[in-house]
Amino acid sequence: MRANFILSEVWIGLRRNLTMTIAVIVTVAVAMALLGVGLMINAQVGLMKTFWSDKVEVSVYLCKKDSPFPTCKATPKGVSAAERGQLQQQLGALPQVAQVLFEDQAMAFENFKKTQSANSILAQVVEAKDLPESLRVKLKDPEQYQAVIDAAKGMKGVSTVIDQRAQLENFFGMLEKLRYAALAVALILVLAAILLIGNTVRLSAFNRRRETGIMRLVGASNLYIQLPFVMEGMIAGLIGGVVAAIMLIVAKVFLFEGTTSAFAVNSQLGWDSVAEVITLTMVIGVVICVLASFVTLRRYLRV
Amino acid sequence: MRANFILSEVWIGLRRNLTMTIAVIVTVAVAMALLGVGLMINAQVGLMKTFWSDKVEVSVYLCKKDSPFPTCKATPKGVSAAERGQLQQQLGALPQVAQVLFEDQAMAFENFKKTQSANSILAQVVEAKDLPESLRVKLKDPEQYQAVIDAAKGMKGVSTVIDQRAQLENFFGMLEKLRYAALAVALILVLAAILLIGNTVRLSAFNRRRETGIMRLVGASNLYIQLPFVMEGMIAGLIGGVVAAIMLIVAKVFLFEGTTSAFAVNSQLGWDSVAEVITLTMVIGVVICVLASFVTLRRYLRV
Amino acid sequence: MIHFDNVTKVYANQNRPALDHVSVDVDKGEFVFLVGPSGSGKSTFLRLILKEEKPNSGAIHVAGKDLARLSNFKVPHLRRRIGCVFQDFRLLPNKNVYENVAFALEVIGKPRRFIRKVVPEVIELVGLEGKAHRMPDELSGGEQQRVAMARAFVNRPMILLADEPTGNIDPATSIGIMKVLDRINRTGTTVVMATHDAAIVDSMRKRVVELEDGKIVRDQSRGVYGQAY
Amino acid sequence: MIHFDNVTKVYANQNRPALDHVSVDVDKGEFVFLVGPSGSGKSTFLRLILKEEKPNSGAIHVAGKDLARLSNFKVPHLRRRIGCVFQDFRLLPNKNVYENVAFALEVIGKPRRFIRKVVPEVIELVGLEGKAHRMPDELSGGEQQRVAMARAFVNRPMILLADEPTGNIDPATSIGIMKVLDRINRTGTTVVMATHDAAIVDSMRKRVVELEDGKIVRDQSRGVYGQAY
Ligand SMILES: Nc1ncnc2c1ncn2[C@@H]1O[C@H](COP(=O)(O)OP(=O)(O)OP(=O)(O)O)[C@@H](O)[C@H]1O
Ligand SMILES: Nc1ncnc2c1ncn2[C@@H]1O[C@H](COP(=O)(O)OP(=O)(O)OP(=O)(O)O)[C@@H](O)[C@H]1O
Ligand SMILES: [Mg+2]
Ligand SMILES: [Mg+2]
């Protein structure tokens, strides 16, 4: 059993079954590229979530003078510096809270102007003294905002509590849907790919059943008969994986960089995660091909 | 050439080449489902664009008393009712303009409260009299806003002109990207499907070349030899189309209805467009199968 | 019935012709043995009659038709009038014996009733009664050859071509097959049979055409197999 | 060398056995003709020796090994010591004549130098010199049979099985083939040959085993083909 004879058999097989080989390559490439995009969307959504979650804080607005909020009835003159310090301490003592910062009217106005830039008229009508002061509460775990909100709401001098997360929830809901849809499509495609590749290998074995039958009768061993098929599958899988990798890199450059910059998010998917995804899809592609070959051949190439 | 003999041949062919048939069905189903999703995303994006475009107007803000805008220097006391009427006429005379409506401070405040509901603090600090009056200009063709903006900017008593479109541009940019990405993926898949189906049919023909060779030598006509293949392809294509249709309906219910409601858009893709997409993909699927069969057989089944 | 006029056939990529300026006339109702060593062009001669191959030069007329002028569209009609037993049988591997024989009738659109009557008769004629429902790969070599035989003459063709129809059959069965061929020939069918079986050729005393290296070296009206044996 | 002990073989879904309580002993270096009518079980007998089929009952020993106890893993090694000419040739359709013959050596790992020397010799031996680079479908039936022949004995097997090796060959070439077989036999190779060719059997005067309906009806040490002819 000389290696170069086997290799030449593999080469002949690949060339003769060129359409087969192309079919496997196309199937692997398409399925793996879409699986890769799915995984990348998944990673991107994860990144965006943590990016935003990190930024998100609970805003505890303090009562101004003559504030119409019912909770401000107790402090008609607004919150004094001492009261504010007390609040700050109380909030900081909560187990979920990481940090409490004070935002005075000037800072609030700055932030307001930044976020309202698109609507320049408002920036003209609102003045710093119109805006309420607030305490910005950073959480240890962004998911545990409810307890903090509940606690803060009962405190004296607090007009209202706003969790920015609520405003992002819709957006996140959509992202989650996108993530699941992408993964579902990718999964269906991988299943389809397994089916198609298994089928292709089976056809290939079926086409050559006469040949393999002759090989057996001439005394070729099982390994010898199966090896070319499995190696053909592996090579086709590898080529398909490379094509998929190219498609993924293109997707990364044109799709992801474009979209995320449109979202004004600097939580770009790094090249390292892309490399990870490519490696993963490549391995999956080759493993699928080899497994499909083996399982199929078990049935077709009995002694 | 009896019809029921041919049908029985087709049935035998489909059953014997069951894995072939399944391969074609899976290929058609996946490719057509993704093409369908692509087309639906395309339609959805189109719908959303027109929905928003329709809603979008050019807002021409009028100068208030003591307005800090440099263009308001000429009218330090604000715009009088007569001047406002004149402006309204001037704008209405522009060829691109469909309608000009006046929004007074009370209406502006209403709208403001509606759009700012998420940020309840602002609603507390802004009063009706803080807000500027404006003329809301509806355009005949939403694309031609630039000319209107340019014209309005030069008019006396106008503080600033805002095209809401500019605010939506980012969002639309993303939608466009999404649309093109979806169509590109769908196109790749359709090409892959054509390749895979052509390949499958060719293998099927190749597998049966002995049989078809015998048929020819026994005196079967070309049509008689090719018909079963083409019909097999057609039936497989049809079944694949049906599977794709089911997948599209599922996508419509779970994906699109979910996402669009998350966007708070009531420009839902109607069932009629879904039906259109399904019909289209089905026809494409069957045509691909039949064409792939025919072209492939041309080469393989010569007399 | 069959006229070869100076026919030469060189297969692609070959330098030696498989048939070399061959001219033969076979009349209606004749029985012709085609003999000659292996590779002398017997199968090629039969393939040309079926228009399975095309000659490089020369004209072939079969049943009054010039094959060179016959459009591809008309070829099936020609073939329906020619029965053929191939050297490698060419049975449909996915149909059983009955279906294989019936196939030749179904292709030309015979009614089912007719098929049900004729096919079992022919199967019995070649001695395969009781094996009608076997698949080809469940038959011995000789049995497969007899199925091919049955398929070739089930539709009573005008011309019957047989390429070594007794190559894999024992002498006793061969004699039976030859009797059938003779009977078919007596009903007016032209029979052309390529064979190596000296005993059969010698016993039948029919016209013998001998090929060697693609050339006709003998054409004898009541001939024997030859000198080699 | 080959011992059949009360072997019965019934193919799946058949009621009549293809071989029916057959007991035969073939010694090392013997030359045995297997004769009998079509469908009598000759090919089945050969297939059992190769372990291509398994018997329903009885024991088969080949080269001292009990086939029933031989693991699947060991079967290839057995087959490498047995050369076989199949009734339907079984050439690899995608390899040319040279490669088909060389294949039997490559499978068992012979060095390339050896292959280059031996293969052309064997091709010449069967009279196919100059056709080494033809594909099987570019050969006549008899030429294909001779390629199968060459492949079977290129690796000098211990046992040579031949299923109608002269079925498609003209008598002159047949005699050549038989001379080769005889020569191989004289070097110590056991030869079992199924045939219908009465002339050959009669002229060789070797041991004849006759089958009928799966039963051995005759086993003669210097026999002739039989009474039927
Ligand atoms: N498809 C082909 N391509 C190239 N050469 C071919 C082809 N078919 C046959 N030949 C060559 O043409 C010659 C005649 O072949 P043919 O099959 O007609 O012989 P034959 O008389 O039928 O022989 P046999 O008795 O062995 O069947 C042979 O030398 C053969 O090698
Ligand atoms: N795979 C199979 N399945 C079922 N029956 C079979 C199978 N192979 C052979 N047979 C039957 O077994 C019997 C013996 O077949 P075998 O091939 O051994 O005959 P043979 O002596 O070689 O005949 P021939 O001279 O025609 O080749 C025949 O009746 C045949 O129909
Ligand atoms: Mg021939
Ligand atoms: Mg046999």
Side-chain angles (χ1 to χ4, degrees):
Chain A
M1 208 149 106
R2 301 192 323 271
N4 67 351
F5 179 63
I6 291 186
L7 283 181
S8 87
E9 287 287 296
V10 170
W11 176 237
I12 290 172
L14 282 174
R15 255 190 17 216
R16 178 147 25 88
N17 301 310
L18 195 62
T19 56
M20 288 287 198
T21 314
I22 291 175
V24 172
I25 290 175
V26 169
T27 312
V28 171
V30 170
M32 289 309 120
L34 285 164
L35 175 66
V37 169
L39 290 176
M40 274 160 73
I41 289 179
N42 184 36
Q44 176 75 62
V45 169
L47 258 182
M48 281 166 93
K49 273 190 86 165
T50 51
F51 174 82
W52 282 108
S53 295
D54 266 9
K55 286 255 159 12
V56 162
E57 352 164 89
V58 174
S59 305
V60 177
Y61 286 92
L62 304 180
C63 290
K64 281 201 306 178
K65 199 169 167 252
D66 299 328
S67 190
F69 283 98
T71 50
C72 290
K73 292 273 143 68
T75 52
K77 288 199 206 68
V79 175
S80 70
E83 281 168 331
R84 193 208 323 139
Q86 206 182 333
L87 266 175
Q88 208 160 348
Q89 255 188 355
Q90 273 182 310
L91 284 170
L94 289 173
Q96 298 90 348
V97 172
Q99 201 184 6
V100 183
L101 293 173
F102 174 60
E103 184 180 88
D104 63 16
Q105 290 188 320
M107 279 156 68
F109 190 60
E110 276 305 302
N111 279 337
F112 172 74
K113 278 201 290 191
K114 241 188 263 159
T115 55
Q116 295 301 107
S117 64
N119 206 344
S120 61
I121 282 298
L122 266 180
Q124 304 297 330
V125 300
V126 173
E127 281 167 51
K129 67 173 169 48
D130 294 333
L131 293 172
E133 297 173 332
S134 61
L135 292 172
R136 304 269 147 173
V137 179
K138 277 223 185 304
L139 302 179
K140 284 178 188 150
D141 173 4
E143 298 294 328
Q144 299 195 307
Y145 55 94
Q146 200 54 51
V148 177
I149 291 176
D150 291 345
K153 267 196 178 143
M155 291 176 189
K156 195 180 149 211
V158 169
S159 65
T160 184
V161 180
I162 291 177
D163 176 29
Q164 291 179 9
R165 163 174 303 270
Q167 292 168 256
L168 289 169
E169 210 88 284
N170 264 350
F171 179 61
F172 277 166
M174 195 197 79
L175 284 187
E176 282 290 281
K177 281 227 165 95
L178 187 65
R179 163 195 278 202
Y180 289 132
L183 286 182
V185 168
L187 207 74
I188 291 176
L189 271 164
V190 169
L191 288 180
I194 291 177
L195 230 154
L196 286 175
I197 292 168
N199 194 51
T200 311
V201 173
R202 173 151 66 196
L203 287 173
S204 175
F206 183 78
N207 266 344
R208 291 195 254 166
R209 68 193 182 290
R210 198 182 153 79
E211 265 175 280
T212 48
I214 294 167
M215 286 189 188
R216 274 193 282 113
L217 291 178
V218 163
S221 65
N222 258 0
L223 181 69
Y224 186 89
I225 294 170
Q226 293 184 2
L227 210 58
F229 287 92
V230 174
M231 281 178 72
E232 275 173 51
M234 211 178 69
I235 292 173
L238 259 179
I239 298 177
V242 170
V243 175
I246 293 170
M247 280 153 74
L248 284 180
I249 290 170
V250 170
K252 147 83 176 145
V253 171
F254 289 97
L255 223 64
F256 282 77
E257 301 202 342
T259 326
T260 49
S261 72
F263 272 115
V265 179
N266 51 356
S267 62
Q268 284 254 348
L269 208 62
W271 282 108
D272 52 339
S273 353
V274 175
E276 234 169 65
V277 167
I278 286 177
T279 315
L280 188 64
T281 53
M282 211 111 149
V283 169
I284 292 178
V286 171
V287 167
I288 284 176
C289 284
V290 171
L291 276 191
S293 304
F294 247 127
V295 172
T296 312
L297 292 176
R298 286 274 102 193
R299 280 195 45 219
Y300 266 75
L301 303 182
R302 288 204 205 95
V303 174
Chain B
M1 206 148 108
R2 303 190 322 270
N4 65 353
F5 179 64
I6 290 185
L7 283 181
S8 86
E9 287 287 296
V10 171
W11 176 236
I12 290 173
L14 280 175
R15 254 191 18 217
R16 177 147 27 88
N17 301 309
L18 196 62
T19 55
M20 287 286 200
T21 314
I22 291 175
V24 172
I25 290 174
V26 169
T27 312
V28 171
V30 170
M32 290 309 121
L34 285 165
L35 175 67
V37 169
L39 290 175
M40 275 160 71
I41 288 179
N42 185 36
Q44 177 74 59
V45 169
L47 257 182
M48 281 166 93
K49 273 191 86 166
T50 52
F51 174 81
W52 282 108
S53 294
D54 265 10
K55 286 255 161 3
V56 162
E57 351 163 88
V58 174
S59 307
V60 177
Y61 287 92
L62 304 181
C63 290
K64 283 200 302 177
K65 193 165 171 259
D66 299 328
S67 189
F69 282 98
T71 50
C72 291
K73 291 273 142 69
T75 52
K77 288 202 206 65
V79 173
S80 69
E83 281 169 330
R84 195 215 314 145
Q86 207 182 333
L87 266 175
Q88 209 161 349
Q89 256 186 355
Q90 275 182 310
L91 284 169
L94 290 173
Q96 298 91 347
V97 171
Q99 201 184 7
V100 181
L101 294 173
F102 175 59
E103 186 180 271
D104 62 18
Q105 290 188 320
M107 283 157 65
F109 190 59
E110 276 304 303
N111 280 336
F112 173 73
K113 277 202 292 194
K114 241 189 265 160
T115 55
Q116 294 302 108
S117 63
N119 205 346
S120 59
I121 283 297
L122 266 181
Q124 304 296 332
V125 301
V126 172
E127 280 167 50
K129 68 174 168 49
D130 294 333
L131 294 171
E133 297 174 331
S134 62
L135 292 172
R136 304 268 147 172
V137 181
K138 278 222 185 304
L139 303 180
K140 285 177 187 150
D141 173 5
E143 299 294 327
Q144 298 194 308
Y145 55 93
Q146 201 51 53
V148 176
I149 291 175
D150 291 346
K153 269 197 175 143
M155 290 175 188
K156 198 181 146 211
V158 171
S159 67
T160 186
V161 181
I162 291 177
D163 176 29
Q164 291 180 7
R165 164 175 302 271
Q167 293 168 255
L168 288 169
E169 211 86 284
N170 263 351
F171 180 59
F172 278 167
M174 196 198 76
L175 285 186
E176 282 291 280
K177 280 229 166 92
L178 187 65
R179 163 194 278 203
Y180 289 132
L183 286 182
V185 169
L187 206 76
I188 291 176
L189 272 163
V190 169
L191 288 181
I194 292 178
L195 230 152
L196 285 175
I197 293 167
N199 193 51
T200 310
V201 173
R202 174 153 63 196
L203 286 175
S204 176
F206 183 79
N207 267 342
R208 291 195 254 165
R209 70 193 182 289
R210 198 183 153 81
E211 266 175 281
T212 48
I214 295 167
M215 286 188 185
R216 275 193 280 115
L217 291 177
V218 164
S221 64
N222 259 359
L223 182 67
Y224 186 90
I225 294 171
Q226 293 184 3
L227 210 59
F229 286 91
V230 174
M231 281 177 72
E232 276 173 49
M234 210 178 70
I235 292 174
L238 259 180
I239 298 176
V242 170
V243 175
I246 294 170
M247 281 155 71
L248 284 180
I249 290 169
V250 170
K252 146 83 175 145
V253 172
F254 289 96
L255 222 64
F256 282 79
E257 302 202 343
T259 325
T260 50
S261 71
F263 271 115
V265 178
N266 50 356
S267 61
Q268 284 255 347
L269 207 62
W271 281 108
D272 51 339
S273 352
V274 175
E276 235 169 64
V277 167
I278 286 176
T279 317
L280 188 63
T281 53
M282 212 112 148
V283 169
I284 292 178
V286 171
V287 167
I288 284 177
C289 284
V290 171
L291 275 191
S293 304
F294 247 128
V295 172
T296 312
L297 293 176
R298 284 276 100 192
R299 280 193 46 217
Y300 267 75
L301 304 182
R302 289 205 203 95
V303 174
Chain C
M1 209 67 197
I2 302 169
H3 302 277
F4 271 57
D5 188 13
N6 222 13
V7 170
T8 298
K9 169 70 189 174
V10 188
Y11 283 103
N13 307 322
Q14 305 299 312
N15 31 31
R16 219 173 46 78
L19 282 184
D20 194 1
H21 297 284
V22 168
S23 299
V24 192
D25 271 2
V26 179
D27 287 337
K28 192 166 153 51
E30 256 193 302
F31 194 121
V32 180
F33 282 115
L34 214 54
V35 301
S38 174
S40 58
K42 303 182 295 297
S43 299
T44 305
F45 185 89
L46 300 179
R47 277 204 279 269
L48 285 172
I49 297 174
L50 267 180
K51 215 184 169 192
E52 200 185 337
E53 297 280 353
K54 290 188 187 102
N56 297 65
S57 69
I60 304 172
H61 291 257
V62 176
K65 297 212 169 60
D66 184 351
L67 293 195
R69 294 234 206 97
L70 201 67
S71 70
N72 278 347
F73 181 68
K74 286 278 183 62
V75 170
H77 295 271
L78 172 76
R79 289 184 182 153
R80 288 175 195 179
R81 308 172 73 186
I82 305 177
C84 194
V85 187
F86 302 95
Q87 199 165 3
D88 51 356
F89 318 152
R90 304 211 195 165
L91 302 177
L92 295 165
N94 310 294
K95 292 189 185 295
N96 65 28
V97 171
Y98 179 93
E99 289 163 347
N100 259 291
V101 177
F103 187 75
L105 295 174
E106 266 154 353
V107 161
I108 60 176
K110 290 278 181 199
R112 180 161 298 193
R113 199 150 24 84
F114 178 79
I115 294 175
R116 280 220 201 89
K117 196 171 101 8
V118 168
V119 173
E121 285 174 17
V122 176
I123 289 176
E124 205 190 310
L125 199 67
V126 294
L128 288 177
E129 55 274 18
K131 289 180 179 150
H133 294 290
R134 295 265 190 100
M135 302 304 278
D137 62 3
E138 296 173 354
L139 294 173
S140 77
E143 286 162 350
Q144 289 182 39
Q145 198 159 46
R146 283 180 275 160
V147 177
M149 197 80 191
R151 184 183 63 190
F153 59 69
V154 67
N155 62 350
R156 312 282 153 182
M158 238 168 38
I159 300 173
L160 190 83
L161 308 178
D163 202 349
E164 319 222 14
T166 59
N168 288 293
I169 308 182
D170 58 297
T173 315
S174 295
I175 288 172
I177 290 287
M178 289 317 295
K179 284 207 183 112
V180 173
L181 273 182
D182 196 34
R183 206 171 333 138
I184 292 170
N185 177 234
R186 278 179 214 281
T187 65
T189 300
T190 311
V191 177
V192 180
M193 169 171 163
T195 188
H196 288 306
D197 199 326
I200 285 174
V201 177
D202 293 348
S203 70
M204 295 276 288
R205 290 271 155 187
K206 299 280 188 184
R207 177 174 171 193
V208 174
V209 174
E210 185 172 347
L211 287 169
E212 217 180 285
D213 283 341
K215 291 195 191 67
I216 293 184
V217 293
R218 178 163 62 114
D219 191 344
Q220 221 170 357
S221 55
R222 291 174 61 80
V224 292
Y225 184 81
Q227 294 73 1
Y229 211 65
Chain D
M1 209 67 197
I2 302 169
H3 303 276
F4 272 56
D5 189 12
N6 221 14
V7 170
T8 298
K9 170 70 190 173
V10 189
Y11 283 103
N13 307 320
Q14 305 297 310
N15 31 31
R16 216 173 49 78
L19 282 185
D20 195 0
H21 297 284
V22 168
S23 298
V24 192
D25 271 2
V26 178
D27 287 336
K28 189 164 157 50
E30 257 193 302
F31 194 121
V32 180
F33 282 115
L34 214 56
V35 302
S38 175
S40 57
K42 302 182 295 298
S43 298
T44 305
F45 185 88
L46 299 180
R47 277 204 280 267
L48 285 173
I49 296 174
L50 266 181
K51 213 182 172 190
E52 200 185 338
E53 297 281 353
K54 289 188 187 102
N56 297 65
S57 69
I60 303 173
H61 290 257
V62 176
K65 297 214 168 60
D66 183 352
L67 293 195
R69 296 234 204 99
L70 201 67
S71 70
N72 278 348
F73 180 69
K74 286 277 184 62
V75 171
H77 294 272
L78 173 75
R79 288 182 182 155
R80 288 176 194 178
R81 307 171 72 185
I82 305 176
C84 194
V85 187
F86 301 96
Q87 201 164 4
D88 52 355
F89 318 152
R90 304 209 195 163
L91 301 177
L92 294 165
N94 311 295
K95 292 190 185 293
N96 64 27
V97 171
Y98 179 93
E99 289 162 349
N100 259 290
V101 176
F103 187 75
L105 295 175
E106 266 153 355
V107 160
I108 60 176
K110 290 279 181 196
R112 180 160 296 190
R113 201 151 22 85
F114 178 78
I115 295 175
R116 280 222 202 89
K117 195 171 104 2
V118 169
V119 173
E121 284 173 17
V122 177
I123 289 177
E124 205 189 311
L125 199 66
V126 295
L128 288 177
E129 57 275 17
K131 289 181 179 149
H133 294 289
R134 295 265 191 99
M135 303 305 279
D137 64 1
E138 297 173 354
L139 294 173
S140 76
E143 286 162 351
Q144 289 181 36
Q145 200 159 43
R146 284 180 275 160
V147 177
M149 198 79 192
R151 185 183 60 191
F153 59 69
V154 68
N155 61 349
R156 312 281 154 180
M158 237 167 38
I159 300 173
L160 190 81
L161 309 177
D163 202 349
E164 319 221 13
T166 60
N168 287 292
I169 308 183
D170 58 297
T173 316
S174 296
I175 289 173
I177 292 285
M178 288 317 296
K179 283 209 183 108
V180 173
L181 274 182
D182 196 35
R183 204 171 336 138
I184 292 170
N185 177 234
R186 276 179 215 283
T187 65
T189 301
T190 311
V191 178
V192 181
M193 169 171 164
T195 188
H196 289 306
D197 199 326
I200 284 175
V201 177
D202 294 349
S203 70
M204 295 277 288
R205 290 271 154 185
K206 298 282 187 182
R207 177 173 170 191
V208 174
V209 174
E210 184 171 347
L211 287 168
E212 217 179 287
D213 284 340
K215 291 192 191 71
I216 293 186
V217 294
R218 178 162 63 110
D219 191 344
Q220 219 170 357
S221 56
R222 289 173 63 80
V224 292
Y225 184 80
Q227 295 74 358
Y229 212 65

